[in-house]
Amino acid sequence: NSQAREMQYNSSRAKYSRANKKGEESMEGTQMIRLLKQLHLAMQRFGRNQMDHRDLSTAQHIMLEYLLNKRQETLYSTDLHKCIGISKAAVSATLKGLYAKGYVTFLREETDERKKRIFLTDKALQEAEVIEKEMQAGEAKLCQGISAENLEVIRQGLCQMIQNMKEGEGMP
């Protein structure tokens, strides 16, 4: 499996090298990493500008939108850690911020005092439609000018990259 992946990687590198010789864009070296970093920074700036009026960080906005989408489910911070794919510490800090701003509250489980169930407040529920529209607008901006077929290829590629990096960390 790793040999097949390496062959595929080398084939892709050769293809991009040929493209570079023709004066086209190349993925040699660490350009993919730089592009992903540039995209990350651009998304953070866009998110800050879009959420500025709400006094939410981009991470808080994303988590709040996720919680709103899952509002019918019972959720705990460990669920967010697994589903959103950020560290437990980042989940905790983001939830604390949402709590301080009045978007979520917590209730300790009677059967396990270490677990706190996450509840959306009336404030979050009242702003749900606007928050969801803001996230949709952000995604529309991100994907503007890209065909549905290319978006699917990009999605699959990003998912594979995430899986590759998780395997490199010894994660499932």
Side-chain angles (χ1 to χ4, degrees):
N1 191 11
S2 70
Q3 280 183 327
R5 210 175 314 156
E6 186 174 336
M7 287 175 54
Q8 183 181 16
Y9 173 76
N10 288 335
S11 172
S12 294
R13 285 184 62 91
K15 180 177 116 183
Y16 288 116
S17 291
R18 286 191 302 274
N20 193 36
K21 288 176 186 168
K22 295 178 185 176
E24 297 171 13
E25 192 65 27
S26 168
M27 287 293 158
E28 287 295 320
T30 59
Q31 185 175 3
M32 183 66 74
I33 292 170
R34 286 192 307 272
L35 288 172
L36 289 169
K37 182 63 175 177
Q38 288 174 2
L39 176 60
H40 173 75
L41 293 171
M43 289 176 61
Q44 281 186 319
R45 283 189 303 272
F46 179 83
R48 274 193 302 272
N49 291 337
Q50 193 170 3
M51 277 31 99
D52 199 31
H53 67 283
R54 197 176 303 290
D55 193 32
L56 289 174
S57 69
T58 303
Q60 289 170 342
H61 199 269
I62 290 169
M63 187 172 293
L64 184 55
E65 195 258 346
Y66 181 83
L67 291 168
L68 287 164
N69 284 333
K70 302 289 185 180
R71 67 183 126 208
Q72 303 304 323
E73 299 177 26
T74 301
L75 290 173
Y76 302 93
S77 62
T78 52
D79 299 322
L80 298 175
H81 161 68
K82 292 173 188 170
C83 296
I84 297 177
I86 59 176
S87 71
K88 291 177 184 178
V91 168
S92 179
T94 304
L95 286 172
K96 283 180 185 176
L98 289 172
Y99 174 79
K101 293 173 183 175
Y103 288 98
V104 298
T105 188
F106 307 99
L107 181 65
R108 286 199 189 277
E109 283 292 317
E110 292 178 15
T111 57
D112 186 349
E113 288 206 12
R114 295 171 297 168
K115 291 178 90 174
K116 292 184 203 172
R117 185 172 172 187
I118 303 166
F119 289 94
L120 293 165
T121 63
D122 289 341
K123 178 180 180 178
L125 295 171
Q126 288 168 356
E127 296 183 28
E129 190 175 325
V130 174
I131 290 168
E132 289 167 356
K133 283 182 181 177
E134 288 171 346
M135 288 300 288
Q136 289 169 354
E139 189 152 324
K141 177 71 173 168
L142 177 69
C143 300
Q144 178 180 318
I146 304 172
S147 71
E149 295 83 18
N150 284 343
L151 284 173
E152 181 56 24
V153 170
I154 292 167
R155 188 195 66 74
Q156 289 175 2
L158 290 171
C159 288
Q160 184 61 55
M161 288 177 187
I162 292 167
Q163 186 60 38
N164 293 345
M165 297 310 291
K166 284 181 178 178
E167 288 172 6
E169 296 172 348
M171 297 173 68

